[in-house]
């Protein structure tokens, strides 16, 4: 089912977000605390995307478990970021095991992650996929439910939808086509982050100048707050809004 997080705020090291917290993504790759029936570990790859010097995001993705990568600790210690999206992956049975299947997916300024599963894949989403440009289907990074969800979200972003609306509309359409799907989606452009909570967990921790959204709290800070199921969160480093989702 995967685990993911997004951070916006003053520059911090990647290490302080991913590796150092006692229950961070490193630990969640082998001992998550809130998988909710979606597997036991997240060892099928990982990815990190961040924004250097206000440019388009840089990604580092691998198909191996996060704990087995010997390069990331050195990279994370010297990389300082003010916006990041990262994820560890637990692949659904039958899905490809390749680094292109690991979030974050990207286009331009956008980074995207999916924590969950689409029920009845791939047949359940054939009608929705038919509404996408053929080129988008031919150029999917990988034949997975997460990659198609990204294509659906991206199609709405290209049409001018706000990030929160793009997620909300995608969740409504996919949950109607594939009831019972888990659709925790995470999207950022480095200034705003939007997240859906549909079938899985999400927690938020705010400070006066930062926001952190994560599948589960990565430490025991009392500032963490669980987001109720069926909600959409849109946040910047300065504020946060929440509204109800339409979920079948």
């Amino acid at each position: 089912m995967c685990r993911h997080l997004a951070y916006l705020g003053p520059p911090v090291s990647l290490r302080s977000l991913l590796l150092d917290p006692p229950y961070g993504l490193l630990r969640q790759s082998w001992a998550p605390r809130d998988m909710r029936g979606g597997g036991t570990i997240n060892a099928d790859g990982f990815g990190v995307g961040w924004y250097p010097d206000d440019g388009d995001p840089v990604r580092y993705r691998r198909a191996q478990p996060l704990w087995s990568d010997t390069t990331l600790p050195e990279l994370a210690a010297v990389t300082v970021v003010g916006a990041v999206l990262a994820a560890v992956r637990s692949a659904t049975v039958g899905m490809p095991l390749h680094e292109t299947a690991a979030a974050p997916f990207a286009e331009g300024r956008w980074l995207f992650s999916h924590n969950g599963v689409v029920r009845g894949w791939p047949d359940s989403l054939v009608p929705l996929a038919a509404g996408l440009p053929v080129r988008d289907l031919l150029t999917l990074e990988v034949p997975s439910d997460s990659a198609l969800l990204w294509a659906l979200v991206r199609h709405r972003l290209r049409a001018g939808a706000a990030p929160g609306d793009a997620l909300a509309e995608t969740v409504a359409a996919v949950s109607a086509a594939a009831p019972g799907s888990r659709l925790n989606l995470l999207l950022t452009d480095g200034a705003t982050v939007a997240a859906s909570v549909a079938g899985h967990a999400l927690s938020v921790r705010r400070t006066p100048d930062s926001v952190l959204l994560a599948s589960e709290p990565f430490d025991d800070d009392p500032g963490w707050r669980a987001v109720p199921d069926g909600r959409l969160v849109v946040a910047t480093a300065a504020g946060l809004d929440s509204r109800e989702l339409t979920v079948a």
Side-chain angles (χ1 to χ4, degrees):
M1 286 296 180
C2 312
R3 309 272 79 188
H4 56 203
L5 68 79
Y7 168 82
L8 301 174
V12 296
S13 72
L14 282 178
R15 184 178 183 92
S16 70
L17 293 172
L18 308 180
L19 308 180
D20 290 342
Y23 313 113
L25 283 182
L26 175 59
R27 185 179 179 90
Q28 290 172 36
S29 66
W30 56 271
R33 297 187 294 171
D34 192 4
M35 286 294 278
R36 302 196 178 186
T40 55
I41 60 173
N42 297 284
D44 298 319
F46 69 91
V48 188
W50 66 93
Y51 296 80
D53 300 323
D54 297 323
D56 286 344
V58 172
R59 289 183 297 168
Y60 181 84
R61 297 188 294 171
R62 293 291 183 267
Q64 65 200 70
L66 178 59
W67 71 75
S68 71
D69 188 284
T70 59
T71 301
L72 183 62
E74 296 179 6
L75 176 68
V78 299
T79 303
V80 177
V81 299
V84 62
L85 190 157
V88 291
R89 183 175 184 236
S90 175
T92 302
V93 174
M95 297 289 178
L97 295 177
H98 192 274
E99 67 182 47
T100 57
F105 299 94
E107 180 175 276
R109 294 285 298 174
W110 297 107
L111 294 172
F112 171 84
S113 176
H114 167 222
N115 170 18
V117 63
V118 173
R119 302 300 182 192
W121 169 266
D123 297 328
S124 59
L125 291 196
V126 168
L128 295 182
L132 292 172
V134 172
R135 188 179 189 281
D136 287 4
L137 297 176
L138 293 176
T139 56
L140 286 178
E141 281 197 272
V142 66
S144 71
D145 55 357
S146 297
L148 184 60
L149 289 173
W150 168 228
L152 294 169
V153 170
R154 183 181 61 190
H155 188 59
R156 290 173 167 85
L157 293 171
R158 290 173 176 171
D165 293 337
L167 292 194
E169 292 167 10
T170 300
V171 168
V174 173
S175 65
S181 296
R182 295 178 182 239
L183 300 170
N184 277 35
L185 311 181
L186 193 56
L187 176 71
T188 186
D189 63 357
T192 299
V193 58
S196 62
V197 187
H200 222 309
L202 184 75
S203 292
V204 176
R205 192 182 78 185
R206 283 203 49 76
T207 71
D209 58 357
S210 71
V211 63
L212 184 60
L213 295 87
S215 296
E216 55 189 69
F218 67 30
D219 59 21
D220 294 319
D221 189 304
W224 287 102
R225 296 290 181 269
V227 181
D229 201 12
R231 302 294 295 180
L232 175 79
V233 174
V234 179
T236 67
L240 183 147
D241 294 310
S242 174
R243 71 176 192 256
E244 188 174 355
L245 282 170
T246 299
V247 182

